[in-house]
Amino acid sequence: MIRDGNHMAILEILHFPDPRLRNVAHSVETVGDDTRQFLDDMLDTMYTAPGIGLAATQVNDPRRIVVIDVSDAKDQPLCLINPEILELDGVEEMEEGCLSVPGFFEKVKRADRVRVRALDRNGEAFEMQVEGLLAVCIQHEIDHLDGKLFVDYLSQLKRTRIRNKLEKEQRQNAPAASGEASQRVI
Ligand code: ZN
């Protein structure tokens, strides 16, 4: 972890096929200052990557916490603690990427509209109804909290190909591909 004088912290993001990405996260019981500090660290990490969503599982933390910002100006951070999907509706097929699967983009079919309940950074419960990219993003991030990755929706052949390529890059310590289509890296 790198922390500078402004208490900005960039957390290390795990890459597929790291088995820790399969951990199932635990509910947060009390939202306190440590939770808020962690949310800020996650936002810093997500914006720096850059990505539009990040789940605690991706930075090897066991809490059910997700941060998202799908705005163009990157000024609408959304923090979801203990997120729960209440309703799914419609079908959407969107090309997805993931900060834990760098360099790969594949189409995944998900619900187009989602109603979700969560706690905010003050521990207050709220509900929201969203659609399109934000709905896809929320489903992708909650999957992370359950140890699931977008590559799980692909064929075994595609998943194996991606795993082999990333394992090879990790062995060679090659820098992960980034920068391209960062709008969709969640
Ligand atoms: Zn992801």
Side-chain angles (χ1 to χ4, degrees):
M1 184 168 85
I2 307 157
R3 194 181 281 277
D4 70 16
N6 298 319
H7 304 291
M8 186 179 175
I10 306 301
L11 309 170
E12 190 192 344
I13 297 174
L14 304 177
H15 287 169
F16 177 70
D18 192 311
R20 292 172 292 180
L21 287 167
R22 298 305 184 180
N23 291 341
V24 176
H26 308 295
S27 294
V28 175
E29 290 189 9
T30 313
V31 178
D33 287 342
D34 63 319
T35 319
R36 284 183 279 277
Q37 179 64 61
F38 180 58
L39 284 167
D40 290 340
D41 292 347
M42 282 183 68
L43 285 166
D44 288 341
T45 304
M46 177 187 79
Y47 287 127
T48 302
I52 60 171
L54 184 69
T57 314
Q58 292 178 274
V59 293
N60 196 30
D61 186 284
R63 289 175 275 187
R64 295 191 80 81
I65 294 181
V66 160
V67 294
I68 294 172
D69 190 343
V70 296
S71 70
D72 288 335
K74 303 289 162 222
D75 58 357
Q76 287 166 47
L78 178 63
C79 297
L80 302 172
I81 301 168
N82 300 341
E84 258 180 282
I85 288 179
L86 304 174
E87 265 177 60
L88 294 169
D89 201 10
V91 181
E92 167 97 66
E93 196 176 34
M94 216 180 261
E95 195 172 65
E96 293 185 25
C98 177
L99 292 173
S100 293
V101 190
F104 292 91
F105 298 89
E106 298 286 348
K107 279 190 173 166
V108 177
K109 218 177 259 180
R110 298 190 190 264
D112 175 50
R113 291 183 294 283
V114 170
R115 204 153 68 85
V116 66
R117 177 166 56 202
L119 301 178
D120 66 15
R121 58 185 293 131
N122 298 311
E124 303 286 338
F126 69 100
E127 278 184 30
M128 60 194 296
Q129 173 100 38
V130 298
E131 56 180 33
L133 178 60
L134 183 52
V136 166
C137 197
I138 285 174
Q139 293 169 80
H140 177 118
E141 299 309 336
I142 292 178
D143 270 358
H144 274 304
L145 300 180
D146 294 324
K148 197 165 181 184
L149 297 165
F150 88 92
V151 295
D152 299 344
Y153 294 95
L154 309 178
S155 68
Q156 171 100 42
L157 180 69
K158 261 189 183 165
R159 190 163 54 250
T160 303
R161 208 176 273 160
I162 291 173
R163 191 184 61 219
N164 290 343
K165 196 142 183 254
L166 285 175
E167 278 178 339
K168 193 175 164 201
E169 280 177 13
Q170 285 159 25
R171 272 197 307 273
Q172 296 170 341
N173 210 11
S178 68
E180 35 172 326
S182 61
Q183 272 299 334
R184 294 218 176 87
V185 184
I186 50 186

